[in-house]
Amino acid sequence: MEHEGHHLPSHVDAHSGGLGPSAVDDGQRPGAEHGRSRHGDHGNSHGGSGGHGEHGNGHGDHVALFRRLFWINLALAVPTVLLSGMFADLLGYSLPDSPGVAWVAPILGSVIYLWGGRPFLTGAITEVRARKPGMMLLIGMAISVAFVASWGATLGLLAHDLDFWWELALLVVIMLLGHWLEMRSLAQTSSALDSLAALLPDEAEKVDGDSTVMAAPSSLALGDVVVVRPGGRVPADGQVVDGTADVDESMITGESRPVRRTIGDQVVAGTVSTDSALRVQVDAVGDSTVLAGIRRLVEQAQSSTTRAQLLADRAAGWLFWFALIAAVITVAIWSAVGTPDFAVIRAITVLVIACPHALGLAIPLVVSISTERAARAGVLVKDRAALERMRVVDTVLFDKTGTLTKGEPAVHDVAATGADDGELLALAAAAETDSEHPLARAITAEAGRRGLPVPRADSFEASTAVGVSATVQGRRVAVGGPNLLTERGIDPLPETRQWSDRGQIVLHVLVDGQVAGALGLADEVRHESREAVDALHALGIRVVMITGDAEPVARAVGAELGIDQVFAGVRPEDKSSKVASLQGAGRNVAMVGDGVNDAPALAQADVGVAIGAGTDVAIASAGVILASDDPRSVLSVIQLSRAGYRKMTQNLWWAAGYNIAAVPLAAGVLAPMGFVLPMEIGAILMSLSTVVVAANAQLLRRLNLSPEASTAAAHDVQRVGPPSRTAVPAA
């Protein structure tokens, strides 16, 4: 690269993905690690893995399973319901007087119970074995009691009132719908560890005497020498023994520009030689590489994620014991008063009416609508639990480069010694026109933004580690860094000292060998970042920034944005420990980042939020992904999390409240007053409860989750108390 003299200083922030290539992943395989840890709570809450028909194969399989079961069983349920004797009596129509009609509901109902109900029966058995009653056991008990009672009524062994074939069919279909929605919301789209593995090349070019041979990176040994061609990835950690090249380390270290590596310098597996070939002697392989270390951190952070029981499952567990105890009391009391047949009918009615129609949809419907609304707003929810946790986050930790800033240089200051700033900038842009360096593009872009006429240049020359020069309107114009001044024996302009102190890149412009001025370039802060920080403060949320940048640069950005606390000079492998330190202080932390170096911190945080423009690994390690690079979208996630949780709570109270009220009525608690809840009325109320829950969840569609609307909504919320605004830079 010709513009070596324009390189960013070594303290540039830990960032990746902005300028360097990102890892390639298939994007659709469910990740084993993510499924095991992030959604491990789901297996427990539904009676272990069996609760969903064995979780080990990933949520993608379950989406197809429950979708297929739902549609087939829905088709079977239609004739089952319409040809059920009790349903016909309820609506007041007569069944066709044809041979075999009476057996349609029992036969199809049995198929629905044994096939459609199998995932719930399997989950119920698992919950019994684990001694953790929950949703699966409650569903399994209800459909099993309905199945046995219905066969008893069909065969004339029990009262006709216990013919529940239609209720059994509807219960199984509604539960399958709920679990299909649930599995769809949990389906993953990428794997962090697969993305990390994708950073390594498929083959390495190993030096063998006077020639080279192709070898798998896994076969390399300590001391081997490998050739890394321009554009190729380094296959293992090692030391450069021959050659000099600009190495793109953005996907590993977060450095936002290529770093010059020459003989004696260390290079890291997965990084890219951008312009020249290198010979590297391997000094670390396998688990000893930096890439493997990041992989281990991701695994550890993901596997240590706290497993929280879902509200619906806890409610189902309580409701199971409530219904079971109510049924036992019902049998005991009605048998004691001398009506054992009535006692059996009431007890069976209690157990069937306790079936969680609405409870089974209370959470999945809200989650499904929430994730759909989020996707329309550019927020991809990979981990349902992460979205739920976002409502209690009290600290948002932003990576700097590529998140709060754009991750690319921009002209911040211009100082001219003779001509005006516009003329100086136009001359510099003319000289830089033929350069492809990021700093050159920043200069030409600023000239274009100001609408400056850029004259034509010729005789372009570039000097590595010095700068560029060209002839512009008969004058020789040179633009470069400190080495350009050293070559010419010229002192830098005095005003550029404070630019350097703020971490800016300083380029001087020489015209015919004389200093005509200087340009100060720095990573550009997003204009939305200030709005995001202010809105988070309005919610009482503390804002922290973490960066690999030097403290002066970090202080400048932190002061400009009003950041509460800054962690500066943080190495990639130490980012997760900074998150842990905040958590150790009692903070609920959301980490927002975009690079491989952010992956362990994203996984360690209570909620990992990845900027979608970042690398696949960062995306895979996060529970929530922002399709845009607008930091205000974090407000959208918080707003959705809080609104969704309110709807979940309302639905759970309504669904469980119906059961709490209906079970005693079904048991006959008001029988002494002449009222006994008929089974058909209970079934109708059960269906109405489901309709109310579904309608309430639909209200989430009214949410406006655009960054602008979410930011405005944050300012409308009354702050509980002012957050601490003491800046505490920490190296």
Side-chain angles (χ1 to χ4, degrees):
M1 293 185 55
E2 77 276 4
H3 237 302
E4 183 63 25
H6 292 188
H7 279 208
L8 301 175
S10 60
H11 54 252
V12 168
D13 174 37
H15 155 69
S16 83
L19 301 175
S22 62
V24 178
D25 187 31
D26 59 47
Q28 295 300 325
R29 294 190 303 268
E33 269 63 24
H34 192 66
R36 183 189 68 240
S37 58
R38 287 287 191 189
H39 299 319
D41 55 56
H42 186 73
N44 284 353
S45 62
H46 282 305
S49 58
H52 294 300
E54 304 305 323
H55 262 253
N57 293 329
H59 294 302
D61 295 339
H62 297 300
V63 175
L65 168 67
F66 282 103
R67 180 178 62 243
R68 183 173 64 252
L69 285 176
F70 167 73
W71 286 114
I72 295 176
N73 281 272
L74 177 61
L76 296 175
V78 172
T80 303
V81 172
L82 294 179
L83 297 178
S84 171
M86 178 181 276
F87 189 76
D89 293 343
L90 179 63
L91 296 187
Y93 66 86
S94 300
L95 296 178
D97 188 14
S98 303
V101 169
W103 290 99
V104 172
I107 293 174
L108 294 183
S110 296
V111 173
I112 292 172
Y113 170 75
L114 295 172
W115 186 30
R118 182 179 177 183
F120 311 113
L121 297 174
T122 305
I125 293 172
T126 304
E127 288 185 353
V128 169
R129 289 175 177 170
R131 298 180 182 179
K132 292 182 178 180
M135 182 73 75
M136 290 297 177
L137 184 54
L138 186 58
I139 297 171
M141 178 185 68
I143 64 176
S144 295
V145 171
F147 176 73
V148 173
S150 297
W151 266 116
T154 299
L155 298 176
L157 302 177
L158 296 175
H160 175 68
D161 292 346
L162 298 179
D163 180 355
F164 298 133
W165 290 119
W166 72 280
E167 179 60 27
L168 168 64
L170 289 180
L171 173 58
V172 171
V173 168
I174 289 176
M175 291 300 103
L176 287 174
L177 173 61
H179 280 71
W180 172 25
L181 294 175
E182 186 179 22
M183 289 298 100
R184 188 174 63 177
S185 73
L186 293 174
Q188 301 169 62
T189 58
S190 58
S191 165
L193 301 183
D194 286 346
S195 297
L196 282 170
L199 291 178
L200 292 177
D202 294 328
E203 291 184 307
E205 191 174 350
K206 184 173 73 171
V207 175
D208 184 8
D210 294 332
S211 61
T212 61
V213 296
M214 303 308 294
S218 58
S219 68
L220 296 176
L222 297 179
D224 284 347
V225 176
V226 295
V227 177
V228 183
R229 303 290 181 184
R233 291 186 182 273
V234 178
D237 292 3
Q239 185 179 73
V240 178
V241 293
D242 187 25
T244 299
D246 285 332
V247 178
D248 182 356
E249 300 181 347
S250 62
M251 68 292 298
I252 300 295
T253 66
E255 178 63 58
S256 58
R257 52 129 183 136
V259 179
R260 198 70 173 172
R261 297 301 184 197
T262 188
I263 297 174
D265 291 338
Q266 290 293 125
V267 290
V268 178
T271 56
V272 180
S273 175
T274 63
D275 60 347
S276 301
L278 294 174
R279 290 202 174 201
V280 177
Q281 185 175 48
V282 176
D283 61 15
V285 295
D287 291 341
S288 300
T289 63
V290 170
L291 197 61
I294 293 177
R295 181 189 179 109
R296 282 193 301 273
L297 286 172
V298 172
E299 287 178 318
Q300 291 166 5
Q302 287 184 337
S303 63
S304 64
T305 302
T306 302
R307 296 184 173 189
Q309 292 287 338
L310 297 176
L311 287 174
D313 301 296
R314 291 201 298 268
W318 298 332
L319 186 57
F320 167 78
W321 290 113
F322 177 65
L324 189 61
I325 293 171
V328 171
I329 293 175
T330 299
V331 170
I333 292 178
W334 288 111
S335 296
V337 299
T339 55
D341 292 339
F342 186 72
V344 172
I345 294 175
R346 288 294 97 197
I348 291 175
T349 303
V350 165
L351 294 176
V352 174
I353 211 170
C355 62
H357 280 82
L359 192 59
L361 287 177
I363 298 298
L365 271 177
V366 172
V367 172
S368 180
I369 295 173
S370 296
T371 52
E372 182 267 336
R373 288 292 302 123
R376 289 180 179 273
V379 178
L380 174 62
V381 178
K382 284 183 52 194
D383 181 0
R384 176 184 61 184
L387 179 62
E388 293 175 357
R389 288 192 297 269
M390 197 69 182
R391 69 184 178 85
V392 297
V393 161
D394 57 20
T395 301
V396 175
L397 176 63
F398 285 101
D399 175 46
K400 182 180 81 72
T401 309
T403 304
L404 294 175
T405 64
K406 293 185 176 181
E408 54 190 34
V411 176
H412 275 235
D413 293 290
V414 180
T417 57
D420 60 31
D421 292 355
E423 183 180 350
L424 178 75
L425 188 59
L427 288 173
E432 297 279 16
T433 298
D434 291 336
S435 174
E436 293 297 325
H437 195 280
L439 296 179
R441 291 197 296 269
I443 293 171
T444 56
E446 179 65 15
R449 189 186 68 80
R450 296 190 184 192
L452 300 176
V454 177
R456 183 175 178 178
D458 52 31
S459 302
F460 174 82
E461 293 181 1
S463 178
T464 301
V466 177
V468 302
S469 62
T471 300
V472 182
Q473 296 177 333
R475 294 178 290 178
R476 194 64 183 172
V477 178
V479 184
N483 290 341
L484 175 66
L485 299 182
T486 301
E487 277 190 357
R488 309 292 178 92
I490 300 174
D491 294 328
L493 294 180
E495 53 263 53
T496 62
R497 181 178 299 277
Q498 64 182 97
W499 298 357
S500 298
D501 291 342
R502 294 199 300 265
Q504 292 188 18
I505 307 159
V506 178
L507 302 179
H508 280 76
V509 181
L510 276 59
V511 177
D512 292 333
Q514 301 297 316
V515 176
L519 307 175
L521 297 92
D523 192 4
E524 186 175 3
V525 174
R526 299 184 191 279
H527 71 273
E528 306 93 349
S529 295
R530 179 73 206 198
E531 294 181 27
V533 172
D534 289 344
L536 288 169
H537 284 156
L539 293 176
I541 295 175
R542 186 175 178 81
V543 182
V544 183
M545 186 179 76
I546 190 167
T547 175
D549 225 335
E551 190 171 310
V553 180
R555 277 184 180 274
V557 174
E560 181 178 348
L561 295 177
I563 302 292
D564 300 313
Q565 184 175 1
V566 174
F567 292 118
V570 181
R571 295 175 59 84
E573 60 269 26
D574 295 332
K575 284 191 174 183
S576 60
S577 65
K578 294 298 184 183
V579 175
S581 68
L582 291 171
Q583 292 170 324
R587 294 281 176 177
N588 293 312
V589 182
M591 167 70 186
V592 185
D594 71 334
V596 172
N597 62 94
D598 299 324
L602 289 168
Q604 173 67 41
D606 296 281
V607 181
V609 181
I611 297 292
T615 65
D616 288 348
V617 177
I619 292 173
S621 300
V624 179
I625 300 151
L626 306 180
S628 73
D629 51 14
D630 189 338
R632 296 177 300 175
S633 294
V634 174
L635 277 301
S636 302
V637 182
I638 295 173
Q639 181 186 12
L640 179 62
S641 177
R642 294 181 177 183
Y645 184 79
R646 284 195 300 271
K647 289 302 177 188
M648 289 181 190
T649 304
Q650 292 165 4
N651 280 358
L652 286 175
W653 273 112
W654 178 267
Y658 157 77
N659 289 89
I660 293 172
V663 165
L665 294 177
V669 69
L670 297 181
M673 302 172 61
F675 176 79
V676 176
L677 180 68
M679 180 59 215
E680 56 270 24
I681 300 302
I684 292 174
L685 292 177
M686 218 181 296
S687 299
L688 288 176
S689 176
T690 304
V691 171
V692 170
V693 165
N696 190 43
Q698 293 295 327
L699 295 177
L700 280 173
R701 298 188 185 277
R702 298 181 178 180
L703 275 180
N704 184 347
L705 295 177
S706 67
E708 296 82 5
S710 297
T711 302
H715 288 290
D716 291 337
V717 176
Q718 183 177 1
R719 290 172 57 178
V720 176
S724 171
R725 297 298 305 276
T726 304
V728 186

